[in-house]
């Protein structure tokens, strides 16, 4: 990469446009920019999880790998026609998901975001991941994209949900269960 980023501001975006990886320019609020921008935001929220204390090595290793893959996905979305996310990346997410989910007790209730800082940050990352998935779907309605991008984000949101459960339990806070019965009115 060399000195490619030695000058941070260029002023070329002052007109509301931005350059894609292929050199073309698009509006900063285009579907493509929304998609890769939200993937970038997702990567940042995963960085928040990793900045929390008490994240064990297996979770940390998985999330660092995910951060690299999200950077690849952002590149794929920033360069029309680029292919970076592969089926093997999705398979790796599924294997991690199965491995982290297996020791957890079955879900009987909905879980609220919380359960300690690391778990709460992981739930935040999950919701940003769902938004990124929606942005990629919206992009796919107006431009051609590869199905791996959408599948990757769909699987990642599931993994982040499970990791939120893992982190809540590992942090000693436990999972925050939705108390659906609090709305029931006594019958007269």
């Amino acid at each position: 990469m060399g000195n490619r980023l030695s000058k941070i501001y260029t002023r070329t975006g002052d007109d509301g446009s931005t350059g894609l990886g292929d050199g073309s320019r698009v509006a900063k609020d285009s579907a493509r920019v929304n998609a890769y921008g939200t993937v970038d935001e997702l990567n940042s929220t995963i960085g928040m999880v990793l900045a929390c204390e008490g994240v064990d090595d297996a979770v940390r290793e998985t999330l660092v790998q995910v951060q690299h893959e999200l950077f690849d996905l952002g590149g794929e979305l920033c360069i029309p026609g680029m292919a970076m996310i592969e089926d093997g990346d999705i398979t790796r997410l599924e294997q991690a998901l199965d491995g982290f989910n297996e020791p957890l007790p079955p879900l009987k209730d909905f879980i609220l975001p919380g359960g300690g800082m690391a778990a709460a940050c992981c739930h935040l990352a999950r919701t940003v991941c769902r938004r990124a998935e929606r942005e990629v779907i919206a992009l796919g309605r107006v431009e051609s994209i590869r199905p791996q991008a959408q599948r990757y984000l769909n699987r990642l949101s599931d993994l982040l949900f499970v990791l939120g459960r893992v982190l809540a339990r590992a942090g000693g806070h436990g999972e925050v269960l939705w108390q659906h019965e609090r709305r029931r009115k006594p019958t007269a």
Side-chain angles (χ1 to χ4, degrees), residues 42 45-46 49 63 66 70 97 119 121-130 153 155-167:
L42 169 58
T45 60
I46 290 175
V49 177
L63 289 178
V66 164
L70 286 173
L97 179 54
C121 287
C122 203
H123 283 291
L124 177 61
R126 173 187 53 80
T127 63
V128 174
C129 187
R130 285 291 186 201
L153 291 168
R155 219 62 88 248
L156 178 57
S157 64
D158 293 337
L159 175 61
L160 291 169
F161 174 78
V162 167
L163 290 179
R165 295 189 69 200
V166 167
L167 291 168

Side-chain angles (χ1 to χ4, degrees), residues 126-147:
R126 173 187 53 80
T127 63
V128 174
C129 187
R130 285 291 186 201
R131 182 159 37 90
E133 181 183 11
R134 291 189 302 270
E135 297 287 356
V136 167
I137 290 168
L139 173 60
R141 291 193 202 300
V142 295
E143 295 187 47
S144 178
I145 58 163
R146 298 172 58 248

